[in-house]
Amino acid sequence: MTNRVLIITGDANDAKALQDVLGKAKDGSFTTEWVTQLSDGLKRLHAGGIDAIMADLSLPDSQGIDTFDKLFATALHTPIMTLSALDDEMLTTEAVQHGAQGYLSKGHFGSYLVPQSLRIIIQRKSVEETFYLEKARAEITLNSISDAVIGTDMSGNVDYLNVAAENMTGWSREEARGHPIGEVMQIIDGETRQRKQNPVELVLQQNKPMKLTTGTILIRRDGREVAIEDSAAPIHDWNGKITGSVIVFHDITASQEMALKMAYLAQHDFLTKLPNRVLLNDRIVQAITLAKRRGTHIALLFLDLDNFKHINDLLGHAIGDKLLQSVAQRVSACVRSSDTVSRQGGDEFVILVTEDKYAEDATLTAEKIIAALAESHFIDQHELHVTPSIGISVYPSDAQNAESLIKNADTAMYHAKEKGRNNYQFFKNEMNIRAVKRWKDAGLKPGSIAVNISALEFRSKDFVEGVHAILTETGLEPCCLQLEITESVLMCDAESSTVILQQLKNMGVQLAVDDFGTGYSSLSYLNRFPIDVLKIDRSFVQSIGSTNGNGIIVSAVIAMGNSLNQRVVAEGVEKQAQLAFLKARHCEEGQGYFFSRPLVSEQFASLLAAGISDMPGN
């Protein structure tokens, strides 16, 4: 590579000597240009392309250190070698202090060492440029990251902060320089509130990386607190000797808050903010452990709202949700701070009553809840009334674990519904003889019992085993059980659904697709599912006979079900015209208020005994 050298001198002999010696360089690495005045030199430098300058500081148009300063200002990054008389050592020294890379005394201009010296200062400038670029790149990088970086010397005094560190500590780099790390970066233990030793101090003592301990809090210069985490490490020179340290940390306040929020959401119902099943189960386990140790009792109240579904269907889910929130507030106001009110989903609530004096507190709580819910709920200009059916189970007399306590309270709640609703019933072992393991004994034939299955239940890993266990426990014949699953749940994972449905089918259980027509079923999958029944969603049935509905979808579903050899059940039949339409298209089954309102166990048993010949449509 050829280096272009600009020679600035008014002495022609000096210029010739330099041109000759540089032109004779063995590697031919130099070309030269010569000007006699500073003004001409500055003009040439502005044009660019000069790799080094050899300048006499005594020129026709400029004298002394002022000559060098003007050159240096014009060619800041070009190496300059001054040409000086033997007796001008003071000016030479001053030029070096102002930024000259070297000097050459007159009388030595023809030396073979001149090319070598010039080559050295050019290379040195190149190294400086590379170092500057690396340093600038590192500086930009450090100021671009979100982590705070603080560097110290061997005494633990701050010598560097990046922008993030300035923002987090409240100290500017200039203000922090030379201050102890413990002053610039004050940290305390988040729990004890005691001052903690900065890990930088340990790094400098032990010459090894250190991590910030969990729960570290940074006290900013303005007194605000920031939760931080990360680590410190030693800095070594090229001989491996420690010369200082660097600590890197970042603000974890937001992530901590998010973690707490996620933990809260995992344990609380999103609608009512009450504890959910997960948190309730944990509290029941804890309460049982404590009751066992103290020899006391706990009670579990399983609450279901009577006729809530009717309100939800009639006024919409938005009103229903606000009603549930109102109920949650009233129920919560009826219990002590040591008790737990939980929403299980839908309109079901479970209340854990701790330190129960053998049913006394549970009875009092149940009566308070019934009284509280007797008052009207005013929601969006609607005056709403709901009543509760409450079942109560007691530890240790009724069950020994959380699952059984909830199950038995649930059983007692259904008994409360059978007793006319708006009351509470304590669990008794004979309640496990279900209304069906009674209708059959009475010689009644209820046919199949349909049970709605939620998405959470259907996707549970032990769902199939649970169904089998219930059938075994109750003695109910599998063919008498019909499980209703919505098509949206089935299509969420069609392949997995096929496997689960086939296992249930092998068990002998009947399978129904609920709310058919509202999801996004694939006919190919519907044909692969071992389905017995298609239940047409009530919204399509109710459109029959209306001004904007002609029943095309209902007709299509009936025809499809018949072609697939599946029973078709129309939901929400409420009018004679709807029934006539369905019968005309050979829909064999229907359900809805046109036939009967919901009935409790005893009423349904009476209906079975009396027969249904007098029901509408027969």
Side-chain angles (χ1 to χ4, degrees):
M1 178 180 176
T2 301
N3 295 301
R4 185 170 295 276
V5 181
L6 176 62
I7 301 172
I8 307 176
T9 179
D11 190 321
N13 293 328
D14 288 348
K16 185 176 186 308
L18 291 171
Q19 288 178 319
D20 287 346
V21 75
L22 292 176
K24 294 177 181 177
K26 293 181 179 180
D27 55 6
S29 57
F30 295 104
T31 60
T32 60
E33 295 183 26
W34 171 40
V35 295
T36 60
Q37 299 189 89
L38 177 62
S39 57
D40 293 335
L42 296 178
K43 186 183 299 183
R44 177 61 187 88
L45 289 172
H46 279 300
I50 298 300
D51 299 301
I53 303 169
M54 304 184 79
D56 191 332
L57 300 186
S58 297
L59 297 172
D61 59 347
S62 180
Q63 298 290 318
I65 196 64
D66 187 55
T67 304
F68 176 82
D69 289 341
K70 291 178 179 177
L71 282 172
F72 187 76
T74 302
L76 183 63
H77 302 299
T78 303
I80 302 174
M81 177 179 281
T82 62
L83 307 175
S84 63
L86 292 175
D87 59 352
D88 210 0
E89 184 176 340
M90 183 177 295
L91 180 60
T92 298
T93 302
E94 187 177 5
V96 170
Q97 292 173 346
H98 281 228
Q101 297 291 305
Y103 64 91
L104 190 63
S105 299
K106 293 188 177 185
H108 300 285
F109 291 175
S111 171
Y112 71 94
L113 294 176
V114 171
Q116 182 178 334
S117 299
L118 194 57
R119 193 177 294 113
I120 288 173
I121 68 169
I122 292 174
Q123 291 174 346
R124 184 168 63 191
K125 199 66 175 180
S126 177
V127 170
E128 289 177 357
E129 181 180 4
T130 300
F131 175 75
Y132 174 84
L133 290 174
E134 292 296 327
K135 183 178 179 181
R137 184 179 293 113
E139 182 77 11
I140 293 171
T141 301
L142 288 173
N143 284 330
S144 299
I145 63 175
S146 58
D147 282 9
V149 181
I150 301 179
T152 76
D153 58 20
M154 277 300 296
S155 299
N157 294 324
V158 173
D159 56 19
Y160 175 80
L161 280 82
N162 71 344
V163 172
E166 290 181 320
N167 293 333
M168 286 186 63
T169 64
W171 287 76
S172 70
R173 186 185 307 185
E174 291 72 21
E175 292 174 315
R177 195 181 305 276
H179 286 265
I181 183 67
E183 182 181 347
V184 175
M185 185 184 173
Q186 296 184 46
I187 56 176
I188 63 171
D189 186 291
E191 291 187 4
T192 67
R193 307 297 296 176
Q194 297 297 311
R195 186 160 185 161
K196 297 176 65 172
Q197 183 179 20
N198 196 291
V200 163
E201 299 168 4
L202 295 175
V203 167
L204 296 174
Q205 293 170 10
Q206 302 178 26
N207 192 17
K208 64 179 182 181
M210 295 285 177
K211 281 192 172 292
L212 290 172
T213 55
T214 304
T216 299
I217 301 294
L218 169 69
I219 307 297
R220 287 170 43 94
R221 198 177 188 185
D222 59 10
R224 286 192 292 161
E225 298 185 2
V226 180
I228 59 172
E229 69 175 10
D230 231 314
S231 59
I235 300 174
H236 300 105
D237 62 17
W238 59 9
N239 293 317
K241 182 180 179 181
I242 183 171
T243 60
S245 69
V246 63
I247 184 167
V248 182
F249 56 96
H250 59 272
D251 185 348
I252 61 169
T253 304
S255 60
Q256 281 188 341
E257 290 175 351
M258 179 58 71
L260 291 173
K261 183 177 180 180
M262 295 302 293
Y264 178 87
L265 292 175
Q267 295 184 324
H268 291 79
D269 170 51
F270 76 97
L271 179 64
T272 63
K273 304 301 184 289
L274 293 176
N276 61 12
R277 294 172 186 263
V278 175
L279 184 53
L280 174 70
N281 284 353
D282 182 61
R283 291 187 179 177
I284 294 175
V285 170
Q286 293 181 39
I288 289 176
T289 301
L290 190 61
K292 186 181 298 184
R293 185 185 311 139
R294 295 178 176 177
T296 56
H297 306 81
I298 64 172
L300 214 63
L301 282 64
F302 197 110
L303 183 155
D304 183 271
L305 297 178
D306 304 324
N307 300 320
F308 173 77
K309 187 176 187 302
H310 177 67
I311 294 175
N312 214 32
D313 292 344
L314 186 64
L315 300 178
H317 291 288
I319 299 294
D321 286 348
K322 291 181 180 180
L323 177 58
L324 289 173
Q325 291 171 334
S326 178
V327 168
Q329 292 173 357
R330 293 194 188 180
V331 173
S332 298
C334 294
V335 304
R336 305 163 303 181
S337 59
S338 58
D339 300 331
T340 298
V341 179
S342 165
R343 182 184 177 218
Q344 297 291 285
D347 59 339
E348 294 179 341
F349 297 82
V350 175
I351 300 94
L352 168 64
V353 179
T354 59
E355 293 294 332
D356 184 32
K357 298 181 179 64
Y358 201 69
E360 293 179 7
D361 291 339
T363 299
L364 181 61
T365 301
E367 290 174 348
K368 282 184 177 180
I369 292 172
I370 291 174
L373 294 185
E375 299 292 331
S376 301
H377 298 263
F378 295 93
I379 298 174
D380 290 357
Q381 300 180 342
H382 295 283
E383 182 177 354
L384 305 178
H385 297 270
V386 288
T387 57
S389 293
I390 302 174
I392 305 174
S393 63
V394 178
Y395 170 88
S397 58
D398 295 333
Q400 300 295 309
N401 56 60
E403 182 180 2
S404 297
L405 273 175
I406 294 175
K407 174 186 171 184
N408 291 342
D410 186 17
T411 300
M413 180 273 292
Y414 279 106
H415 192 59
K417 284 190 179 294
E418 293 171 0
K419 289 292 185 180
R421 309 187 180 198
N422 196 27
N423 71 93
Y424 63 89
Q425 297 292 323
F426 281 87
F427 172 78
K428 299 175 183 177
N429 284 323
E430 55 265 28
M431 289 181 181
N432 280 325
I433 305 172
R434 302 296 175 89
V436 178
K437 38 204 158 178
R438 293 201 305 269
W439 295 336
K440 289 177 64 178
D441 291 344
L444 303 175
K445 297 181 179 180
S448 62
I449 303 300
V451 178
N452 287 310
I453 303 300
S454 70
L456 190 63
E457 292 172 316
F458 187 68
R459 294 300 172 195
S460 173
K461 63 180 180 181
D462 56 356
F463 173 65
V464 175
E465 291 80 356
V467 172
H468 184 270
I470 291 173
L471 290 172
T472 301
E473 176 189 348
T474 60
L476 183 69
E477 296 177 13
C479 62
C480 293
L481 176 63
Q482 182 183 114
L483 300 180
E484 298 183 357
I485 308 105
T486 63
E487 58 176 326
S488 57
V489 170
L490 293 176
M491 293 307 301
C492 182
D493 185 348
E495 295 292 346
S496 173
S497 296
T498 302
V499 174
I500 297 172
L501 292 176
Q502 192 57 58
Q503 291 174 329
L504 294 169
K505 190 66 179 175
N506 293 341
M507 199 182 297
V509 172
Q510 295 184 59
L511 302 172
V513 177
D514 197 16
D515 298 336
F516 185 78
T518 60
Y520 304 93
S521 291
S522 163
L523 293 182
S524 62
Y525 269 110
L526 188 62
N527 191 35
R528 288 169 55 184
F529 292 151
I531 296 298
D532 301 294
V533 181
L534 292 180
K535 303 194 73 174
I536 306 174
D537 185 69
R538 66 192 305 273
S539 62
F540 300 120
V541 174
Q542 291 184 337
S543 70
I544 296 173
S546 65
T547 57
N548 59 349
N550 54 16
I552 293 178
I553 294 179
V554 175
S555 300
V557 174
I558 294 172
M560 182 173 62
N562 291 334
S563 66
L564 295 173
N565 295 319
Q566 295 170 342
R567 288 160 46 208
V568 178
V569 178
E571 298 181 294
V573 181
E574 298 181 359
K575 299 178 182 177
Q576 177 65 49
Q578 296 168 348
L579 177 62
F581 181 94
L582 294 166
K583 293 181 70 173
R585 283 155 183 78
H586 306 289
C587 179
E588 300 299 329
E589 297 184 39
Q591 68 181 57
Y593 290 161
F594 184 76
F595 302 110
S596 173
R597 293 277 176 172
L599 302 174
V600 296
S601 177
E602 287 83 354
Q603 292 172 322
F604 188 64
S606 299
L607 180 64
L608 290 175
I612 57 174
S613 58
D614 295 331
M615 293 189 68
N618 291 311

